[in-house]
Amino acid sequence: MKRISAAVALTAVGALAISGCAANGGGNDSGDDSGLVEGSSITAAWNQAFYSMNGNTSFGNATANNNINYLVLDGFNYYDNTPKLIENKSFGTYEKLSDDPLTIKYTIADGVKWSDGVDVDASDLLLNWAALSRALDTPDFDPTQYQDAETGEFTGDLPTDVVYFDSGATPDAGVGLVSQTPEVSDDNKSITMVYDKPFVDWELSFPSPLPAHVIGEKALNLDDATEAKDAVVSAIQDNDAAALAPISSFWNSGFNFTEMPDDAALVTASGPYMITDFVADQYVTLKANPEYKGDNAPNIEEITIRFIPDPLAAVQALQNGEVDIISPQATADIKTALDAVDGITVKTGVEGTYEHVDLQFDQGKNSQNIFSNPKAREAFLKTIPRQEILDTLIKPIAGDDALLRSSQLFVPGAEGYDEAVKTNGSDAYAEVDIEGAKALLAESGITDTSVCILYASNNPRRVNEFALIQQSAAQAGFNVTDCGSEKWGGLLGTPGAYDASLFGWQSTSLGVTNSLPTFQTGAINNMNFYSNADVDDLVAQLNVEFDADKQIDLQLEMDKLLWGDYYGVTIFQFPGVTAFSDRVEGIDPSILAPTIFWNAWDWAVTDSGE
């Protein structure tokens, strides 16, 4: 028998991660006080392969990575599926010591260890600060010659006197506002950070740290974990560029891998699970971390995550019993296919992810850098068949829940959304305007009308969207060409690689500020070289604004500027679908990333699956 239920309704969301598609308690019937059922295993499917254990770099910031990193790297808090921010006190605590200046103390709980038995401590937190604040970075350094031209991945060591952490941090947001080196406690369990200015989302600004001892050992050629940790701390406290250069180089690229690394130290974990096997483009296997003593101890000993880009192939794998859980990008064919499968539960709803097209304001592939021209940008946006995409590809799945999104900042249904749509200028793109686009393109003076669009070429829905855009834009005189790639995520932001991109931003928090790095000059999620001084000023104001009404006013102003700059167009909120076999229980998706994985420690094998 198939069970169908509706997922949680969509609410206001903020922080974003590149999407490839789309609290502790319960789930244990083993009778074992530890919760872990020895020998238990399940398999989940995801549509994009893992490629980095550092999701805080511009290269590694992707849902495909952070789903797994969420389970292997513990942190101070996480969202449940209501969604509510849960403090993870078994990992550590944070305390606001002062409002003026904003002063936060982070303390690691007793007994918290890395999977290799080394204590998690202040050295890990201090390195996290250095990377996420970039306060010690060499000023005005251009890293492009040390990055892969096609993907932006750091591929070589930085010069011996150059410090550069690729976290995309800016000095007016998050930990970027902590310009002074934090104080380390005498017991080496805490750091205290003093913000230069108040920051409204300070609780969300300090994600899971990476192991400082591993980075110190690899970057500084040391063998002893304690010596390596001490060396990292000294390098930071002394602002020693000669030591920080290799440390930052390793932080940028040392945790990037597309198959199981030969060096087991690179998968050192602090979370409930650790990576134990990884076959390129096929699967990652996670096993319960024996050193994990936190509140979120898992029931399942082994979780394998298979990479299945084709949604129909994921359904087939579920039907065949090859996987137990899928959360594919929803299509009409997926809905039909799932209806034919017995012995599963299907949960549907609206996700906190939205589809959009962004235009490259600079360094595009076009010989005339076509979208540096505002008339060309406006012309192209007028050709994008938003309603046709919604009607053709989304309504057959979601029905009346199909949502055309018309704001860059507000989620449909959230406070401020309706007012934004009335005032931001998005109504100019409610319908295709081919004649208007032709006139604007003629006025632009552009002679090279080629527009190469980057998208996931192995994603059927994106292939269909590309075709609809290509056909529509051709009527106005644009020559839309195919920059689709299975490695699209790593290509985002790469100079000269494409002219426009088609993908989804997935929300990871409810923070008011955390979508702002998409639009701020030089910030981590700014993949299209967009820059507007007025937008940057509004970002700076939002970062320190605690009044909810004023936050909305500032966002309304910013949304209008973005549409007025012809930044790009939003298209639709994702319809979500999760399906799982009767062999497993405890699956209860969240609208926020990491969606199905948020409570993986609660998953359990049912009696019917044993």
Side-chain angles (χ1 to χ4, degrees), residues 108-175:
I108 298 296
D110 292 337
V112 178
K113 294 182 181 295
W114 292 101
S115 55
D116 59 5
V118 175
D119 288 340
V120 179
D121 58 27
S123 62
D124 305 300
L125 304 184
L126 193 64
L127 178 56
N128 212 30
W129 164 80
L132 298 176
S133 70
R134 300 178 64 191
L136 307 179
D137 276 19
T138 302
D140 303 321
F141 172 69
D142 181 0
T144 52
Q145 64 178 306
Y146 301 94
Q147 295 173 283
D148 185 283
E150 292 187 357
T151 66
E153 179 182 9
F154 277 80
T155 55
D157 291 335
L158 296 168
T160 55
D161 58 347
V162 168
V163 181
Y164 186 87
F165 288 97
D166 180 37
S167 67
T170 58
D172 55 7
V175 181

Side-chain angles (χ1 to χ4, degrees), residues 466-582:
F466 170 78
L468 290 172
I469 293 170
Q470 184 182 48
Q471 293 163 12
S472 180
Q475 297 176 52
F478 288 99
N479 176 27
V480 173
T481 58
D482 193 335
C483 273
S485 171
E486 294 186 7
K487 305 296 183 182
W488 65 274
L491 290 168
L492 280 170
T494 302
Y498 58 96
D499 301 302
S501 55
L502 171 66
F503 66 102
W505 278 123
Q506 187 165 46
S507 299
T508 62
S509 89
L510 304 182
V512 68
T513 66
N514 290 334
S515 62
L516 304 183
T518 305
F519 310 107
Q520 184 181 20
T521 302
I524 188 170
N525 283 351
N526 188 331
M527 305 291 184
N528 59 343
F529 306 99
Y530 174 72
S531 182
N532 181 317
D534 292 334
V535 169
D536 290 344
D537 182 59
L538 289 169
V539 168
Q541 292 181 59
L542 277 163
N543 286 334
V544 300
E545 182 53 70
F546 287 78
D547 183 277
D549 290 337
K550 292 180 180 178
Q551 289 172 355
I552 288 176
D553 289 341
L554 291 169
Q555 288 174 295
L556 289 170
E557 187 177 350
M558 183 172 165
D559 204 27
K560 187 175 182 179
L561 285 172
L562 293 169
W563 285 93
D565 280 341
Y566 319 114
Y567 175 91
V569 294
T570 52
I571 306 176
F572 57 82
Q573 289 295 139
F574 274 38
V577 59
T578 296
F580 52 93
S581 74
D582 290 348

